[in-house]
Amino acid sequence: MLKQIERRPSRASRRTGYVFAVMFNAVALYAILVWPGWQQVPFLTSDTEQVLGWVSATLIAGLAVNVVYLLTDPRWLKSLGDLTVTGVGLVAIIRVWQVFPFDFGDPWVPLARIALAIGFFGSIAAMIVQLVVLVADGSRARRR
């Protein structure tokens, strides 16, 4: 039986990606909470305060797991971290859907709802994939 070859990008490539992810999350968090702040975005309503906690939690979780990945990134840990971040992001998407803190005008509202729905179903699919990878890695580790 042929053994499946599992390929991952090089450690240097993965680390570069993690550094960019940390920087993106840190800059986004700073931009939303400090300068210029979410209040400067013309299409966000005051209801944005109701979703800010979950949006911030998603960015903080992404920042934290990518810092951990810089130190060590075995497949199982990467799957667990990605599952966690996607789960927090899913809660944020649900909350944004419920509150819908946008003032776009009629032609853009359905498109924004579609984008949120795509994010919702994409997050669920990603969580299923990461859960399968996590379980497969665990069973592979037990066989060794």
Side-chain angles (χ1 to χ4, degrees), residues 50-77:
Q50 296 179 45
V51 302
L52 214 47
W54 283 108
V55 171
S56 297
T58 302
L59 294 169
I60 292 167
L63 193 147
V65 299
N66 280 285
V67 167
V68 170
Y69 297 161
L70 280 168
L71 303 172
T72 183
D73 70 341
R75 289 179 193 271
W76 70 267
L77 182 63

Side-chain angles (χ1 to χ4, degrees), residues 67-133:
V67 167
V68 170
Y69 297 161
L70 280 168
L71 303 172
T72 183
D73 70 341
R75 289 179 193 271
W76 70 267
L77 182 63
K78 180 87 169 70
S79 295
L80 182 61
D82 290 353
L83 182 63
T84 302
V85 172
T86 305
V88 175
L90 180 61
V91 174
I93 289 169
I94 292 168
R95 190 68 184 130
V96 169
W97 180 280
Q98 292 169 338
V99 174
F100 203 75
F102 307 111
D103 184 17
F104 294 128
D106 284 338
W108 295 103
V109 170
L111 292 175
R113 290 279 188 191
I114 289 169
L116 287 170
I118 290 169
F120 175 84
F121 289 109
S123 294
I124 290 172
M127 291 176 72
I128 291 169
V129 168
Q130 291 306 325
L131 191 57
V132 168
V133 170

Side-chain angles (χ1 to χ4, degrees), residues 15-27:
R15 289 179 62 113
T16 300
Y18 303 148
V19 167
F20 279 110
V22 166
M23 289 181 352
F24 172 83
N25 284 297
V27 167

